[in-house]
Amino acid sequence: MTREGQVRRAGALLPLPVQLTKTLFIPVGKEQLAVRYNIVNNGQTRLQTHFASEWNINLLGGGGNDQAYYSIKGQTLENERFDSTGEVTQVSEFHIGNSWLQQDVKFDLNKNATLWRFSIETVTGSEAGFERNHQGSCLVLLWSLVLDAGETWSVEIVCTGHNL
């Protein structure tokens, strides 16, 4: 999938033209998804910005369920539960999963990213009053970009499913 677009910059007179290409690949016979992003600075000046890839996933992890988790290589999280909130920098590999469902998904990044994670919740009214309901978890992978005119940046995210 390819899209031509523009990045607007504070204080700049004109936006910079960019091209974003997203490629999805599912290898035959594997529980795997590979996602590759390519960004090309088609402008005449340097582009300094951020790029984010957002993933929304449900692993039955609401209500502080200790069987649904985040696990980040080389990091100790204050709260590893799937409905937790936090930010971790310099992430190259992490897992999400639910031991009760016997499912684990490993994310491998070929470029370190900052990982933001938070619970997706709805608020509903009931006879008991307002209730917060966990709908899933949002994880955002964030990279800082500095691209000179004509330069290309790319990243690959490989997700591999495992049964526990």
Side-chain angles (χ1 to χ4, degrees):
M1 299 170 272
T2 299
R3 171 76 189 238
E4 302 286 335
Q6 299 177 341
V7 175
R8 298 188 189 280
R9 301 164 297 145
L13 295 176
L14 298 173
L16 278 176
V18 296
Q19 180 186 61
L20 171 67
T21 302
K22 180 179 182 180
T23 305
L24 304 172
F25 179 70
I26 302 172
V28 175
K30 293 185 178 180
E31 288 192 38
Q32 194 172 76
L33 168 68
V35 181
R36 182 173 194 80
Y37 293 100
N38 288 309
I39 300 173
V40 181
N41 177 359
N42 289 326
Q44 300 299 314
T45 60
R46 176 177 281 185
L47 170 64
Q48 289 184 266
T49 191
H50 289 91
F51 175 72
S53 177
E54 179 179 334
W55 300 65
N56 296 292
I57 301 170
N58 187 324
L59 288 171
L60 304 178
N65 180 349
D66 61 357
Q67 294 179 328
Y69 58 85
Y70 277 96
S71 173
I72 301 174
K73 181 181 179 180
Q75 303 284 338
T76 301
L77 300 177
E78 185 177 313
N79 184 345
E80 293 182 345
R81 293 183 177 157
F82 198 62
D83 59 356
S84 65
T85 298
E87 174 184 83
V88 180
T89 60
Q90 298 299 311
V91 174
S92 63
E93 176 187 314
F94 65 96
H95 291 254
I96 59 172
N98 185 316
S99 57
W100 184 78
L101 295 174
Q102 298 181 352
Q103 294 294 308
D104 180 88
V105 180
K106 177 184 177 187
F107 285 73
D108 282 303
L109 316 174
N110 71 343
K111 286 186 170 69
N112 287 356
T114 296
L115 171 63
W116 294 342
R117 67 185 197 286
F118 54 91
S119 180
I120 302 166
E121 297 178 344
T122 56
V123 177
T124 57
S126 70
E127 295 171 359
F130 289 106
E131 297 177 355
R132 291 170 49 177
N133 295 299
H134 174 81
Q135 298 295 313
S137 186
C138 178
L139 58 100
V140 178
L141 300 166
L142 182 68
W143 294 270
S144 294
L145 298 183
V146 178
L147 294 175
D148 288 324
E151 192 174 9
T152 299
W153 176 88
S154 63
V155 69
E156 186 171 88
I157 305 164
V158 178
C159 309
T160 306
H162 303 278
N163 291 328
L164 297 176

